[in-house]
């Protein structure tokens, strides 16, 4: 009887040691929780870390989008430069006289204004300024997306004439102007859409999170 009792006590002690060892391993793996806390501080740190990574990722994406936007803007400035010099009453230089571009359309002048919104959007990422980023979104919609949509509508008749009758008015370096316009518009609408989307994601990550109150 005594031996069986001793064996039972010994087995209970072994099981207790094993359970304590497992508990210690779990505590060392996940970190001990300070006395008096319910673990919310740990989840807060995890939330802040995720918020920082999410912000950095979308900042990189928005910068790439803005660089593409600026490249399109430089091309547009070169395209409207002959018409712009004539509008301002400045005689075109000899190089501009060699370009036989079609006259600039009103939506092209309006679209160039959205380059100012690009600069505002770039500045907003330096210090996570929500106000500037919202201004970029508004400027991109008004002076970017709306002129592009207007350009699609305005060029629709020329595109129909080219596809059905192979007629077109004006050329860009030997290519029908309507095809060049639609290529530009197709790229521009995607650039604006991605820019607005990445900005929306940044606004969500920059928005301060309210603490839950019980």
């Amino acid at each position: 009887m005594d031996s069986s009792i001793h064996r039972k006590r010994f087995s209970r002690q072994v099981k207790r040691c094993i359970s304590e060892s497992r508990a210690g391993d779990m505590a060392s793996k996940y970190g001990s929780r300070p006395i008096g806390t319910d673990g919310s501080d740990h989840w807060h740190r995890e939330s802040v870390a995720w918020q920082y990574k999410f912000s950095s990722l979308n900042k990189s994406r928005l910068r790439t989008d803005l660089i593409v936007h600026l490249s399109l803007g430089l091309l547009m400035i070169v395209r409207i430069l002959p018409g712009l010099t004539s509008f301002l009453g400045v005689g075109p230089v000899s190089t501009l006289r060699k370009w036989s571009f079609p006259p600039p359309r009103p939506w092209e002048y309006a679209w160039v204004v959205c380059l100012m919104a690009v600069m505002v959007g770039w500045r907003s990422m330096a210090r996570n300024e929500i106000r500037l980023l919202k201004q970029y979104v508004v400027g991109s919609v008004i002076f970017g997306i709306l002129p592009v949509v207007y350009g699609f509508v305005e060029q629709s008749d020329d595109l129909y004439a080219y596809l059905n009758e192979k007629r077109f008015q004006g050329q860009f370096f030997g290519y029908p102007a309507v095809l060049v316009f639609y290529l530009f518009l197709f790229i521009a609408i995607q650039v604006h859409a991605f820019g607005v989307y990445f900005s929306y994601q940044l606004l969500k990550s920059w928005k301060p999170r309210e603490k839950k109150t019980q």
Side-chain angles (χ1 to χ4, degrees), residues 30-159:
Y30 296 103
S32 59
R33 189 173 67 191
I35 300 176
T37 63
D38 58 355
S40 60
D41 55 341
H42 169 74
W43 293 113
H44 175 70
R45 290 193 298 269
E46 291 294 324
S47 176
V48 171
W50 173 87
Q51 191 174 3
Y52 175 78
K53 292 179 181 179
F54 191 73
S55 176
S56 299
L57 176 63
N58 284 285
K59 276 185 180 181
S60 177
R61 291 173 174 175
L62 183 57
R63 286 193 181 99
T64 303
D65 184 86
L66 294 181
I67 290 173
V68 177
H69 194 161
L70 285 174
S71 301
L72 291 176
L74 292 176
L75 291 176
M76 180 59 76
I77 290 175
V78 173
R79 178 265 180 284
I80 68 174
L81 194 57
L84 189 61
T85 55
S86 300
F87 178 77
L88 296 177
V90 181
V93 297
S94 57
T95 304
L96 299 181
R97 293 174 182 173
K98 299 178 182 178
W99 298 346
S100 58
F101 291 166
R105 309 296 176 90
W107 64 266
E108 294 178 274
Y109 288 114
W111 187 88
V112 171
V113 180
C114 72
L115 294 178
M116 299 176 62
V118 173
M119 306 309 298
V120 173
W122 193 279
R123 286 185 56 193
S124 69
M125 291 183 286
R127 296 183 179 180
N128 297 356
E129 298 187 46
I130 295 178
R131 179 179 58 86
L132 292 181
L133 190 58
K134 288 181 178 180
Q135 291 177 0
Y136 158 73
V137 172
V138 173
S140 183
V141 171
I142 295 177
F143 297 105
I145 294 178
L146 293 182
V148 168
V149 172
Y150 182 84
F152 273 116
V153 176
E154 186 188 50
Q155 296 293 318
S156 60
D157 291 338
D158 293 341
L159 180 65

Side-chain angles (χ1 to χ4, degrees), residues 151-186:
F152 273 116
V153 176
E154 186 188 50
Q155 296 293 318
S156 60
D157 291 338
D158 293 341
L159 180 65
Y160 180 84
Y162 176 78
L163 294 176
N164 290 274
E165 304 174 8
K166 297 301 179 182
R167 288 190 300 106
F168 58 88
Q169 297 178 355
Q171 294 182 349
F172 286 104
F173 302 106
Y175 296 96
V178 63
L179 296 183
V180 178
F181 278 134
Y182 263 88
L183 177 62
F184 174 86
L185 293 171
F186 182 74

Side-chain angles (χ1 to χ4, degrees), residues 23 36 212:
K212 294 183 179 180

